[in-house]
Amino acid sequence: MKDNLDVACENVHSFIQDTLYVVNGKWKLVILSILVNNGTKRFGELSRESGISPRILSKELHELELNQLVSRRVCDTKPVTVEYSSTEYAETLKEVIGAMIRWGQNHRKKIKGQ
């Protein structure tokens, strides 16, 4: 029989898996970081700033949109432009993204210092 601690650990693992399912992949957190920290970007700007190919960026943005982390706005211009923004829901990841940026900076310094 499982005790409360075992059940709590299973729940923690489930929550981590849920989070990773939504933000998993090489690019999703990069995209979210740009949009959360720098605001709305056009598709081309986002591609250049992130270094992501247009095909992969399109796929990742679509998945982020399905998970309500990114909103897409088609502008009535010639040629048509599309803008992407982080949603209020994505803003709840700001602290996590900031912590990851800080950890990455410290890790890079540590590794280079060896």
Side-chain angles (χ1 to χ4, degrees):
M1 182 162 192
K2 294 184 180 189
D3 63 14
N4 288 342
L5 185 57
D6 289 335
V7 172
C9 286
E10 284 179 16
N11 286 340
V12 167
H13 294 119
S14 294
F15 299 146
I16 290 171
Q17 286 176 323
D18 291 347
T19 303
L20 290 176
Y21 176 78
V22 173
V23 298
N24 193 23
K26 185 176 178 180
W27 300 113
K28 285 188 180 76
L29 283 169
V30 171
I31 294 165
L32 286 170
S33 175
I34 292 168
L35 295 176
V36 166
N37 291 313
N38 301 317
T40 301
K41 297 284 182 183
R42 292 190 312 262
F43 184 86
E45 290 176 313
L46 202 47
S47 181
R48 281 188 300 279
E49 211 169 304
S50 65
I52 306 171
S53 73
R55 184 178 69 79
I56 298 296
L57 179 59
S58 180
K59 176 188 164 292
E60 298 289 277
L61 285 166
H62 179 70
E63 290 175 14
L64 288 168
E65 193 176 1
L66 287 175
N67 283 295
Q68 301 176 6
L69 295 170
V70 169
S71 64
R72 179 179 187 267
R73 183 174 148 248
V74 178
C75 303
D76 188 22
T77 58
K78 300 243 190 235
V80 173
T81 55
V82 181
E83 294 180 339
Y84 293 89
S85 303
S86 59
T87 62
E88 279 187 48
Y89 186 45
E91 297 292 322
T92 63
L93 288 168
K94 193 169 193 163
E95 188 177 326
V96 173
I97 291 168
M100 290 181 76
I101 290 168
R102 289 186 299 279
W103 189 90
Q105 289 169 332
N106 291 332
H107 177 68
R108 188 172 288 222
K109 286 178 194 171
K110 179 179 178 68
I111 297 302
K112 283 185 176 181
Q114 287 183 345

